[in-house]
Amino acid sequence: MYKKLRLLISLCLLWSLALAALAAPLRMATTTSTQNSGLLDILLPAFQKQTGIEVHVIAVGTGKALKMGRDGDVDVVMVHAVAAEEKFVADGFGTDRIQFMYNDFVIVGPNSDPAAIKGAQSVAEALQKISTSQARFISRGDDSGTHKKEQELWKAANIQPEGSWYIEAGQGMGKVLQMASELDGYSLTDRGTWLAYKGKVELSLLNEGDNKLSNPYGVIAVNPAKHPETNYADAMKLIDWIGSPTGQELIRDYRLHGEPLFIPLLLK
Amino acid sequence: MESLSAASYQALYLLFTGDSALWTIIGISFSVSVRALLYAAPFGILTAFLLAYFSFPGRRLLVSVFNTALSIPAVVVGLTLYILLSKAGPLGDWRLLFTQDAMILGQIFLCFPLLVAMAHSALQASDRRAWETALTLGASPLRALLTILHETRFGLIGALVASFGRIIAEVGSSMMLGGNILNYTRNIPTAIALETSKGSFAEGIALGLVLLSLALFLNILLGQVQGKGEVIQ
Amino acid sequence: MIPDTPQPWLKLERLSFSRGERTILKDISLDLRAGELTLLTGQNGSGKTTLLRILAGLLKPHQAGFQFAGNRRKWRQSYRFLREQICYLHQHPYLFDCSVYDNIAYGLKRKKLSRQVITTRVGEALELISLEHLAQRNCHELSGGEKQRVAIARAWVLSPRLMLLDEPVSNLDKRSRGICYDLINRLQQQQIGVIYTSHEPQVGWLNLSRHIHLYGGELTMKPLQPEKPTVVELHKGTTGL
């Protein structure tokens, strides 16, 4: 009886050890908007098929994603916040950064467009109209890449957004779009999340195309000099693969709700 | 890696220097949860009393319903109310979504089953003779009810404290219904969720410490109250 | 009928009560007069307590007729009146979690009397039970006998027409029993009726007016000890006694 039990327990232990040894997946921190875009569901299986490396995606805010990289909790980081990325590399936490694609931000708002921003020539003009008409604006307020972008845009338009019309939500992009819809407010969103939510919220796309609204994505390996225990070798395989024609073509051909979303930067 | 002790030290600094953003969040948390409890308490205790003292068809079923409702996750409560209160929902005209009132509503629904279940067991353990004695001495049913509540006050305070503990630390429904809006619907739990997602752990820990000391305080209070109850009985 | 007995203030007619399939009280009729001290005996489970709780307006009978000073009333009109006029004391009385003084004052406060009147009445009650020195003591600190006396005083201050004592001495020692019997005799002198239940017929110390016995859900009259005066009025169904 006891012999059998002991045998069973040792088998179990062996099994879990074997599993642990086999499955050393690559851990990648990224932003929720990247994951929500659905691109990773195309890219990563293709990558695994070619290299046999499984990638575990941890989708959090930009700030947290970079912090996970700084703390060595992940092997590779994929974000879209140029200044923060550059600082991450300059501080020595990241290495081998490439900018591999971009999409863009758009301003959405109530179908009735109370601030009349449709047709504004620039994003600065649109923001100006929103602030002068005191129309509600829902900000991410969460230090995310999108939030940082939004703050840059206000600054560039020389506006200090404050007052009861400026609502700092502190939530993810999808939630903020729902809030904008419920509260009849404007918001800045990445195009991917907008396409995913378009049919579910009472909002319209009101401003796009200003080159200030471009949103480049970077992928960065966590520096093995800081965190030797990370899986640097596989991280580099992923970065190289994303920059390769195979990866870049997959990005170019990706469609969300029938519309192209990302423009590859490294396709010759 | 940023050490836990450094984050904790910074957290204490924020708390004791009266960081206004931090204390605004704490204030919102308390004002929302206290109001929710004040609305829920009379109905909850009355329901518990009816369940404990009167038999009517469906009473057992109701007790089971409340006991089951204890294990409903906060997000489910939040989601249900969200659908009801959203513009497209049946109560959309009230325009309550993303207001403190919506958070209060969510917290009322969250603490109600716990309040009823705990108050019910306190009242069920109470002495039926107290009710009859009050009536035979000429008390109106309402006055007799108040007498029973006084007699079972230790158990009832326990129920209130536990309910408050559940809603003050609850994140799911507050996030969905309140929207985590700065200076309006951002309370301690949703702020912790936000600070964590931003990677700024010091603020998160500071708020966590507030919740922790609150829990400690409530537990000590509860222990005191119930200890006193035991000595008397 | 004995000619000079006063009119009953309450006539109970054809009272029945059953719990589930089991009939507990069958067609009971009973007259109640001021100042009567009635001994109600019966085995455990014979329905004594049920009868008292119905009389106190705490339990709804399945069928009953009430006549208050000759006026017929339904249960819905009766129970408030019963609660006002009759006080029921549990076998182990329940004292509220507060001082002896506040317990005795409980019913008086419900009558919205002035504070001064309440103080006087409670003072009298404390004197009646000789517990003046314990007025501010919490009731949980009292002995069994003291609790019983407080419960009697708490009912007495309300000047009820009738007090229902459910085996009040069953768990008391000899000395406390003596004090209780004494108190009950004094209630009778003040024209407060008492129904006193016991499962043993020997209650030599009480100045009984009558003795009724409950068996199989029916009431029968029993003879009192010879030297005691009898003032008895009792119906059993239609047969009468």
Side-chain angles (χ1 to χ4, degrees), chain A residues 31-268:
Chain A
T31 67
T32 36
S33 60
T34 312
Q35 191 174 48
N36 288 343
S37 73
L39 176 67
L40 296 178
D41 302 335
I42 303 293
L43 278 188
L44 298 180
F47 173 67
Q48 186 176 2
K49 210 171 162 190
Q50 277 194 6
T51 60
I53 300 167
E54 193 189 350
V55 183
H56 280 189
V57 176
I58 302 141
V60 288
T62 303
K64 178 96 178 281
L66 289 173
K67 184 167 175 60
M68 291 175 92
R70 268 205 301 282
D71 293 345
D73 290 333
V74 290
D75 307 309
V76 62
V77 181
M78 181 188 285
V79 290
H80 45 101
V82 177
E85 287 170 41
E86 280 166 354
K87 184 171 187 308
F88 181 71
V89 174
D91 290 347
F93 293 106
T95 175
D96 303 282
R97 165 174 177 250
I98 58 166
Q99 285 190 301
F100 64 100
M101 67 176 187
Y102 72 93
N103 70 349
D104 61 346
F105 291 105
V106 295
I107 293 181
V108 297
N111 302 334
S112 59
D113 191 14
I117 64 165
K118 201 172 172 78
Q121 293 304 304
S122 66
V123 63
E125 188 190 334
L127 292 179
Q128 190 69 54
K129 283 182 163 173
I130 291 172
S131 85
T132 45
S133 66
Q134 303 265 299
R136 274 205 190 115
F137 186 94
I138 323 289
S139 163
R140 288 283 293 276
D142 63 349
D143 244 5
S144 60
T146 312
H147 185 217
K148 284 179 174 147
K149 185 79 189 179
E150 180 211 312
Q151 288 172 319
E152 281 170 29
L153 293 173
W154 286 114
K155 209 171 163 190
N158 263 323
I159 301 165
Q160 179 72 38
E162 51 191 11
S164 63
W165 60 276
Y166 187 73
I167 295 173
E168 287 191 58
Q171 299 214 55
M173 197 67 247
K175 279 299 294 187
V176 166
L177 286 181
Q178 286 178 346
M179 288 179 75
S181 166
E182 291 289 340
L183 298 174
D184 293 326
Y186 292 90
S187 191
L188 178 79
T189 171
D190 61 281
R191 189 180 289 271
T193 313
W194 165 245
L195 290 177
Y197 277 84
K198 207 163 127 182
K200 303 177 203 160
V201 289
E202 292 175 37
L203 296 171
S204 322
L205 200 169
L206 296 172
N207 190 283
E208 62 180 323
D210 192 319
N211 55 17
K212 283 206 186 82
L213 290 172
S214 152
N215 180 27
Y217 279 66
V219 59
I220 313 166
V222 172
N223 194 347
K226 287 266 183 189
H227 295 288
E229 72 282 2
T230 57
N231 192 348
Y232 177 68
D234 286 349
M236 280 317 296
K237 278 189 200 157
L238 177 68
I239 292 175
D240 289 343
W241 184 83
I242 287 177
S244 75
T246 329
Q248 293 283 301
E249 275 163 19
L250 279 172
I251 291 169
R252 182 192 64 198
D253 297 338
Y254 179 67
R255 294 286 182 278
L256 183 62
H257 298 284
E259 295 187 41
L261 188 56
F262 297 106
I263 296 136
L265 281 167
L266 302 174
L267 204 60
K268 299 279 150 30

Side-chain angles (χ1 to χ4, degrees), chain B residues 127-141 143-144 147 150-151 153-154 232-233, chain C residues 53 56 58 83 86-88 90 92-98 103 106-107 110 138 140 154-155 158:
Chain B
D127 203 321
R128 243 201 126 74
R129 291 175 307 158
W131 171 249
E132 292 182 349
T133 303
L135 289 181
T136 201
L137 292 173
S140 64
R143 166 52 70 171
T147 302
H150 180 259
E151 295 296 301
R153 59 193 177 278
F154 301 115
I232 287 171
Q233 283 149 16
Chain C
R53 280 154 53 94
L58 297 173
R83 284 183 193 174
I86 301 177
C87 256
Y88 171 68
H90 292 89
H92 304 277
Y94 185 90
L95 298 183
F96 300 121
D97 182 9
C98 51
N103 260 282
Y106 184 88
R110 304 292 84 82
N138 187 293
H140 290 290
R154 186 172 63 179
L158 297 173

Side-chain angles (χ1 to χ4, degrees), chain C residues 169-186:
Chain C
V169 299
S170 59
N171 58 334
L172 299 185
D173 59 27
K174 211 175 168 194
R175 188 180 151 272
S176 299
R177 283 182 188 215
I179 298 173
C180 261
Y181 289 145
D182 203 39
L183 258 174
I184 294 167
N185 283 329
R186 283 169 66 186

